[in-house]
Amino acid sequence: MGDATSSLTVTGSFLDVMKANRAGVLTTLSGGILIFVIWQLALVFVTLSSPLVQSLIVAGEVESSAQDEATGVIFFLLAGFGPAFVVTLLWRKLMERQDIATLFTGFPRFRWTLALASAAVVGALGLGLTLAFDSESVSQIGSRLARFSGLDWLMLSLAYGLGIGIQATFEEVFLRGWLLQHVRRFVPSALGAIVATAIIFSALHYGHPGWATYVAALIFGLAYGWSALRLNGLEAAMGAHIANNLIAALLTGQMVTGNAPSMDLAQFALYGLYVLGFLFFVELWARFGANPSRL
């Protein structure tokens, strides 16, 4: 899939791409259940089969070597999310007989410029707000930075970059792509479909302690869903999701238990600024970027 230019035209509504599809309700439910079960079984298998994953990913062990951490991250993210990602793509192509690209964008080609711009904006927002207002996280990041050499950080960056690229892309393609498009078939309102999938996205973070992760996931799910509607594709959501997870995981070393169980008013305000910054970017792109939205 190539980059987008101003000459590209919309091929259809991204959220409505499955409205005319002949796949019945039972076929759709079967597909969703199959993808979800493969996803969860893969995560369980990876976790149970690897003591390294258990110590690094689940227990949040922070004193391991960079090589062990990189190995655990790659195994957990690629083996845990990759199989379900492949099944999602195959289901769209073979069972629903639609172009795989329809899971990513409503344009003829994937807009790499939009995805990269979104990642840059979200990355800058996350780092900037953390450095300016979150002294506890700054201290934790400083301690972690001092532990590893330059070569260690290169290895960790490659491991997290590849792994989170697969993990976050799969979650967007499955939840804001496949699932949102099918929910839209049965929900009259696009906003209603976005809310429904955001709730599911939040619920899928089960296992996290406390309530903060679920609230944050719900807010991000709404924001990413809105971007898919406003920009007619997943490019902005994918870029933002990858940048958010990559920065958080790389700088803390914790993939699963790194979220605080609760947040105070100041932390909630920071989340609000973070999400508003992303939504502001989405609106600017919708109005002034290539192929501006007409919503």
Side-chain angles (χ1 to χ4, degrees):
M1 291 182 286
D3 201 353
T5 67
S6 59
S7 63
L8 290 181
T9 57
V10 179
T11 59
S13 171
F14 176 73
L15 265 64
D16 294 337
V17 70
M18 293 303 293
K19 273 195 167 184
N21 192 268
R22 296 182 178 180
V25 176
L26 289 179
T27 301
T28 299
L29 286 174
S30 298
I33 293 170
L34 175 66
I35 295 166
F36 177 76
V37 168
I38 290 175
W39 176 16
Q40 298 305 301
L41 287 178
L43 289 174
V44 170
F45 170 78
V46 169
T47 303
L48 294 180
S49 66
S50 172
L52 180 59
V53 169
Q54 294 169 21
S55 63
L56 290 173
I57 309 302
V58 178
E61 176 61 54
V62 295
E63 298 301 327
S64 300
S65 68
Q67 183 176 355
D68 282 347
E69 183 174 328
T71 301
V73 164
I74 285 290
F75 183 47
F76 177 70
L77 294 176
L78 266 63
F81 293 85
F85 190 11
V86 172
V87 170
T88 304
L89 302 182
L90 291 176
W91 188 270
R92 173 55 52 98
K93 183 67 175 180
L94 301 178
M95 298 301 295
E96 297 173 345
R97 300 186 182 278
Q98 295 275 357
D99 192 332
I100 288 174
T102 60
L103 284 168
F104 293 83
T105 186
F107 284 77
R109 289 178 290 172
F110 188 84
R111 294 165 290 175
W112 286 103
T113 302
L114 173 55
L116 292 173
S118 178
V121 167
V122 167
L125 276 170
L127 282 175
L129 290 171
T130 297
L131 294 175
F133 300 107
D134 193 346
S135 58
E136 182 178 346
S137 293
V138 170
S139 176
Q140 181 183 6
I141 291 169
S143 298
R144 181 167 164 78
L145 287 172
R147 285 186 54 227
F148 299 121
S149 68
L151 288 177
D152 288 339
W153 276 108
L154 176 60
M155 178 172 57
L156 288 170
S157 297
L158 291 173
Y160 277 104
L162 176 60
I164 288 176
I166 295 295
Q167 172 255 327
T169 299
F170 161 69
E171 289 186 358
E172 288 306 314
V173 166
F174 179 50
L175 290 160
R176 252 76 62 182
W178 188 89
L179 184 62
L180 179 55
Q181 290 170 348
H182 280 291
V183 170
R184 180 72 179 98
R185 291 172 60 191
F186 307 105
V187 176
S189 166
L191 292 179
I194 290 171
V195 171
T197 52
I199 292 172
I200 294 172
F201 180 57
S202 177
L204 287 174
H205 286 76
Y206 64 88
H208 288 269
W211 55 268
T213 294
Y214 302 99
V215 172
L218 178 64
I219 293 172
F220 282 125
L222 292 171
Y224 293 159
W226 171 252
S227 76
L229 172 65
R230 190 76 171 102
L231 299 177
N232 204 43
L234 292 182
E235 293 92 342
M238 284 172 53
H241 198 158
I242 291 172
N244 177 76
N245 287 16
L246 176 60
I247 290 173
L250 182 61
L251 294 182
T252 66
Q254 295 176 313
M255 285 296 304
V256 176
T257 59
N259 298 286
S262 62
M263 66 177 80
D264 57 26
L265 185 59
Q267 292 170 323
F268 189 78
L270 283 181
Y271 262 107
L273 288 174
Y274 188 44
V275 174
L276 286 175
F278 170 68
L279 292 176
F280 182 67
F281 164 78
V282 168
E283 189 60 27
L284 284 179
W285 194 282
R287 291 175 178 268
F288 305 111
N291 300 102
S293 174
R294 301 304 180 191
L295 288 177

